[in-house]
Amino acid sequence: MTAGFRAVHHAGVCETGVHQSGPDLADPERHGDQDAAPGLVDFAVNVRGTPPEFVLDAIRAGMADLARYPSAADEQCAVDAIAAAHSRRADEVLLLSGAADGFEMLPRLGVGSAALIQPSFTEPEIALRAAGVPITQTTLSAPWQLGAEREGDLDSLATVPEDADLVILGNPTNPTSVLHPREAIDALRRPGRIIVVDEAFADLTLDARGVIEPESLASVDWPDLLVIRSVTKTFGLAGLRAGYLLGPADLLARLRAGRRPWALSTPALTALTACVGEQGHRFCVEQARLVAAERAAMIEELARIGLVPATRPAAPFVLVEMPHATEVKRRLVDHGFAVRSCANFVGLGDTHLRLAVRPIEQVRALTRAIEQVREEIGNAVGTHP
């Protein structure tokens, strides 16, 4: 059992005597959508609102064609649009039914062992373990950034085994919201090794000058690099399942082997084409700026009640650490709020919560609820936070 899961597998009472919710929070297959019940203000899921009108218009325009199978022309149109957006060749694009589809393909690469840079999204581990691929958890400590200095030296836990021929990481990383520098990812490369970077939230990152996607590798043509992208988060399309994978043609050919026909629906293909076009790019820039502004206001409001980000956030979510985090999460439901437990992320546990960036009015309502919950917990254990 890894350290990231250990805390919630104890008995259902924490050290202070506060009852914790059940061990299902430690299940790697549990995601934030399972917390976001109808009627709750959703801080658990990182999807940004609803789809923009231009994407919905594109989908509606193709609804009359649902009686026919998705055509090769539909697929090629989406591939060409993605290739143009990232200055790639068409044979360097593989369409996905959401990013998870790409992770499920990775065992087809025939690797001997994989290293997962943790904490990170749980789906790669699930897919690789199901295929019997040996895994090494390469667990970073705070601030969870590759190459970051910790007490004057590099984190010894961040050493990837030399024999790992597949290394997977998120950038920015879910749930820490850390953005790794390109040069740190470049340093992971070795002869015979494949690097996979999950860039599901890259289109919402900005640098200090306001440049979008400052550390993205989507347009880099390393022969050993695969980049997985998703449009479902930024464009509010989680229910549609649409994304793509970028990389050298020879690696994509191995991933395609044995793939089912009509892997993406016609609406998903139409949406992808719209999202990666010029209008989609402008929308991403607007959203990235909005996220940065909302995140700054959110951090200020969280600080008002004594909560600071566990590390510098670059994505549309913030990681916080607090006492009784699992109990806080459970009680917030009674106050009308859903937040994401980090109990099933390797290297974190049940002392961390992930909070999606939301407008300041919703954040203020959340902080008021957290203050009330803290008082309830203090009364329950005979102390006050």
Side-chain angles (χ1 to χ4, degrees):
M1 183 183 298
T2 64
F5 301 121
R6 191 172 296 132
V8 293
H9 280 288
H10 293 306
V13 177
C14 66
E15 292 179 3
T16 60
V18 178
H19 181 73
Q20 300 183 44
S21 53
D24 64 325
L25 293 178
D27 185 349
E29 297 191 41
R30 183 182 178 90
H31 301 299
D33 62 300
Q34 294 173 260
D35 296 310
L40 298 180
V41 180
D42 180 14
F43 282 84
V45 178
N46 294 319
V47 175
R48 295 288 300 174
T50 56
E53 200 61 31
F54 74 90
V55 174
L56 291 176
D57 287 343
I59 294 172
R60 292 186 192 109
M63 293 298 281
D65 284 339
L66 291 184
R68 68 176 178 86
Y69 288 94
S71 69
D74 295 330
E75 293 184 1
Q76 194 62 50
C77 187
V79 166
D80 290 343
I82 293 165
H86 297 291
S87 302
R88 311 288 297 235
R89 300 194 314 268
D91 63 358
E92 295 175 330
V93 177
L94 176 59
L95 302 179
L96 301 176
S97 179
D101 187 24
F103 298 131
E104 290 179 356
M105 294 181 187
L106 294 180
R108 298 177 187 174
L109 294 171
V111 297
S113 65
L116 307 183
I117 306 296
Q118 302 285 14
S120 194
F121 188 45
T122 58
E123 284 301 316
E125 178 177 359
I126 293 169
L128 293 171
R129 287 201 187 282
V133 177
I135 289 173
T136 297
Q137 306 286 16
T138 302
T139 307
L140 302 169
S141 56
W144 303 291
Q145 185 182 59
L146 284 172
E149 289 192 0
R150 298 162 179 85
E151 297 182 359
D153 199 2
L154 293 181
D155 185 355
S156 60
L157 292 176
T159 303
V160 174
E162 285 298 317
D163 62 352
D165 48 5
L166 180 68
V167 176
I168 305 175
L169 69 155
N171 206 33
T173 298
N174 175 16
T176 60
S177 200
V178 161
L179 189 63
H180 303 292
R182 282 191 190 192
E183 55 268 25
I185 299 175
D186 189 10
L188 295 172
R189 299 169 67 198
R190 299 287 188 279
R193 173 182 290 173
I194 299 169
I195 306 293
V196 178
V197 183
D198 173 9
E199 291 194 357
F201 300 99
D203 56 7
L204 291 177
T205 58
L206 292 173
D207 67 9
R209 299 169 298 163
V211 176
I212 196 168
E213 301 192 22
E215 305 297 343
S216 173
L217 294 170
S219 299
V220 174
D221 62 352
W222 295 345
D224 51 0
L225 174 69
L226 296 172
V227 176
I228 295 178
R229 304 273 298 205
S230 170
V231 299
T232 60
K233 309 295 192 301
T234 301
F235 292 88
L237 294 169
L240 193 62
R241 313 311 303 139
Y244 52 95
L245 196 154
L246 304 167
D250 62 322
L251 291 184
L252 298 197
R254 289 157 66 181
L255 295 174
R256 284 191 183 96
R259 195 178 192 196
R260 69 187 188 278
W262 312 297
L264 274 72
S265 68
T266 301
L269 294 170
T270 304
L272 268 175
T273 305
C275 290
V276 300
E278 282 299 320
Q279 198 168 3
H281 175 72
R282 290 194 298 271
F283 179 80
C284 284
V285 172
E286 294 168 1
Q287 286 295 304
R289 291 171 178 164
L290 178 60
V291 165
E294 289 183 347
R295 186 174 59 226
M298 182 176 185
I299 290 171
E300 183 177 348
E301 174 60 17
L302 290 171
R304 184 187 65 80
I305 63 169
L307 288 178
V308 296
T311 188
R312 182 180 179 182
F317 45 89
V318 176
L319 181 72
V320 296
E321 184 175 10
M322 67 175 73
H324 321 309
T326 302
E327 181 70 3
V328 169
K329 167 191 163 48
R330 185 184 71 80
R331 288 177 181 261
L332 280 173
V333 173
D334 297 331
H335 291 263
F337 293 90
V339 298
R340 175 69 155 91
S341 167
C342 294
N344 65 343
F345 289 103
V346 174
L348 292 178
D350 61 355
T351 60
H352 291 86
L353 297 175
R354 190 194 70 193
L355 307 175
V357 171
R358 296 290 185 251
I360 190 59
E361 296 81 8
Q362 293 183 6
V363 176
R364 288 178 180 140
L366 174 66
T367 55
R368 288 194 296 270
I370 291 175
E371 289 179 304
Q372 293 171 342
V373 164
R374 282 172 160 176
E375 185 173 354
E376 293 170 7
I377 294 173
N379 291 335
V381 299
T383 62
H384 291 277

